[in-house]
Amino acid sequence: YSLADVVRMTTIEPAKALGMADQLGALAVGREADVTIFDVVPGRWRFTDTLGQAFTGEHAIIPVQTLRAGELIPPNWGPHPGGWLPEPA
């Protein structure tokens, strides 16, 4: 997937699926701004899909900073032993 596809699939599409596209999934005047600044890290990374199937990718996306309802939330934890980066492939 392209980076634009990934962003769309994790913002606009879930908001539509929840029936909340008028409230979530995009930045707009009058809405609460939830924003994540992220970095794209090149390499060979090992990922696991929702069916438990392993695959490799050439980029990992890691959060740098998040703003949730006006509050800065540092990414000081992660889902992997090393933090946010997945295991190298």
Side-chain angles (χ1 to χ4, degrees):
Y1 296 103
S2 71
L3 182 57
D5 289 336
V6 171
V7 171
R8 180 181 41 76
M9 290 186 298
T10 58
T11 56
I12 299 164
E13 296 305 321
K16 287 179 186 176
L18 293 169
M20 300 178 75
D22 61 333
Q23 300 169 46
L24 303 171
L27 295 176
V29 174
R31 290 189 186 179
E32 197 171 79
D34 297 335
V35 179
T36 297
I37 300 166
F38 57 86
D39 194 10
V40 178
V41 181
R44 297 237 345 121
W45 306 103
R46 182 177 179 276
F47 299 99
T48 305
D49 68 16
T50 56
L51 300 176
Q53 300 295 315
F55 66 98
T56 59
E58 296 180 2
H59 297 93
I61 299 171
I62 60 170
V64 174
Q65 190 61 262
T66 298
L67 180 67
R68 169 69 178 112
E71 179 184 347
L72 283 173
I73 302 170
N76 57 359
W77 62 279
H80 306 287
W84 285 98
L85 284 175
E87 293 181 33

